[in-house]
Amino acid sequence: MSSTTERPASKQARSLSGLAPFLRPYRGRIALAFAALLLSAMATLAFPLALRGLIDAGFEAANPGEKLMALREHFLAMFAVGAALGLFSASRFYMVTWLGERVTADLRNAVYTHVLRQSPEFFETTQTGEVLSRITTDTTVVQTVVGSSLSMGLRNMVMGAGALVMLIVTNPYVMGQVLGILVLVVAPALYFGRRVRKLSRASQDRVADTSAIAAEVLNAVTVVQSYTQEAAEAKRFSAASEAAFDTARKRTRIRSFMVAFIITAVFGAMLWGLYQGTQAVIAGKISAGHLGQTVVYVTLLVSSVAVLAEVWGDVLRAAGATERLIELMEARSPVAEPAAPKALTAAQGGSRVEFDAITFNYPSRPATAALDRLSLNIAPGETVALVGPSGAGKSTVLQLLLRFYDPQSGSIRLNGVETRELSLKDLRANIGLVPQDSVIFSTSALENIRYGRPSATDDEVIAAAKAAFADDFIRALPEGYQSFLGERGVRLSGGQRQRISIARAMLKNPPLLLLDEATSALDAESERVVQAALEAAMQHRTTLVIAHRLATIQKADRIVVLDAGRIVDIGRHDELVARGGLYAKLASMQFGLKADAQAAV
């Protein structure tokens, strides 16, 4: 999903209607907010009537005493109108602001939850920074509209419509001419509106580009600094920021033209109406109070149109932001949950895994098969190692087993049940993964390990840490198990991060364990102790191991040699070396021995 992808016209037409599912649960509050909005608008519209009464009844009374009493009564009436306006406006402000905050939180949660369920294929074409920009920046734009601008727009729409109706009722001939002039304003306003909306969407896309660049670079800041590319990356970010500014400038310019045109046209039309009103007073056709009322209604109408012109720009911008959020919500993972998931039967001593004629191409590389008709059966409790050159398909086997992707052909069965027929939760709950790049979250050591089984007690977490030989270095941290490990575990060494990851998998205690280069980041001493811990963890469970360092897999029950997505050999370490194939070549390079010499051993 590129940030520059054009949306079909039918989808663009939805605009803010995509927010309807998030507004629907709060229909009651919306009704109350609308009622408060109507009452505040009505209070505002009542003000000119009170003013007319003040002018006509107060100043035209003959007796000074009657004039004073009339003035007092009308001033009290105007104060009552002002008090009502304050009360209803405060109610409207609270309910609408609450609604904006609530809907934005729901929208942000829904988008984030939906993105978390996407398969890795989604992230092959969508940058993480762009997703974060949509979840944060775009939802903030929507919040501004729902929690403020939309309310102001509706209030001024009601107020402007009310003022217009009152003007038509009191001066039908003059307002007929004014309305004729206002009709001519509509077409240019619609043209400007379409331009603003298009540029609003483009502006949000450019902001997302800057977020994507920042997220990418900050996650690799050590590499950037080691290659002294700070200036180059700052220049790249600056170029993206300038592009965002340029698009925003164009949007603001068009929006300014739209506001100026609408206000000028409406103001000109209203001045024509006022000119006709003053002529009517001179001719004795209406009273001074009537003219004062007309002046206030004209002012309300003009100010309402001015606010609507401003709000309309915000609404158009929010429409673009909403479209970008709905794009994320409409993304569908190709790895779908089964309609009627089957139960996963428990197996004694580990899980049985069967790969049957698996062929798989990554979506980003459709012409190259990552796995080509691969078949492999793994018995419960068996330890199987996958070896081969880079790109042979080793990690792909693990990703398909976890159903991060589905193969184009063939099937994978776990304890006799095809993985497509299991719920993703049940499937992955039975698998423990220790990845090559250990993931450490920005929390304590205790909670990082507990991630493997959130219901585990502190004692169980500590036991898992001891089994992974992580207890000693964790206790040496400033606050022990409560020590904050920093973003991505920056306070730990690579070996320490890996032992945290191993402890997490041990705590989960799954019947199937996947080790993807689990000891690759360890020094010789750490590798020795962690290898011993892993061997203990492999007992009574099925284990699938990926290893480039062949010394760590010599005790595996079977070693599967992969090359170009196919199995080229299977056997134990000594058997494979004796055959003199690809494995013997890899062993020769790593152990510094010739294949025939290794075979003699």
Side-chain angles (χ1 to χ4, degrees), residues 202-211 213 233-251:
S203 179
Q204 294 300 109
D205 288 341
R206 298 292 76 75
V207 171
D209 291 343
T210 62
S211 297
I213 292 173
E233 291 298 345
K235 184 177 180 180
R236 186 161 70 104
F237 184 84
S238 177
S241 297
E242 285 300 314
F245 168 76
D246 188 58
T247 306
R249 179 183 58 79
K250 292 177 181 177
R251 182 198 75 227

Side-chain angles (χ1 to χ4, degrees), residues 387-468:
V387 301
S390 296
K394 305 182 295 296
S395 295
T396 302
V397 171
L398 302 193
Q399 294 197 61
L400 292 179
L401 186 53
L402 284 159
R403 271 204 84 196
F404 292 153
Y405 299 91
D406 281 332
Q408 277 78 36
S409 63
S411 62
I412 303 173
R413 292 183 292 276
L414 189 64
N415 295 341
V417 183
E418 188 171 353
T419 55
R420 294 178 191 262
E421 298 177 337
L422 295 169
S423 72
L424 292 174
K425 183 177 181 180
D426 286 348
L427 170 66
R428 293 167 183 170
N430 282 269
I431 301 175
L433 173 66
V434 180
Q436 181 175 1
D437 297 323
S438 299
V439 176
I440 303 298
F441 299 97
S442 299
T443 183
S444 67
L446 190 76
E447 293 306 318
N448 261 285
I449 298 174
R450 204 198 305 273
Y451 201 82
R453 181 156 52 92
S455 61
T457 64
D458 289 357
D459 290 340
E460 290 173 324
V461 171
I462 294 171
K466 289 179 178 178

Side-chain angles (χ1 to χ4, degrees), residues 76 78 170 211 239 299 311 322 356 435 447 517 545 570 573 601:
L76 288 174
M78 292 179 69
T170 54
S211 297
T299 303
V311 168
T322 303
D356 185 9
E447 293 306 318
E517 293 288 349
V545 185
I570 300 179
H573 172 75
V601 176

Side-chain angles (χ1 to χ4, degrees), residues 7-29:
R7 288 172 60 81
S10 61
K11 290 187 177 180
Q12 286 185 355
R14 292 184 187 178
S15 61
L16 292 173
S17 62
L19 295 177
F22 299 95
L23 292 168
R24 198 171 295 123
Y26 309 108
R27 291 187 294 267
R29 282 187 174 267

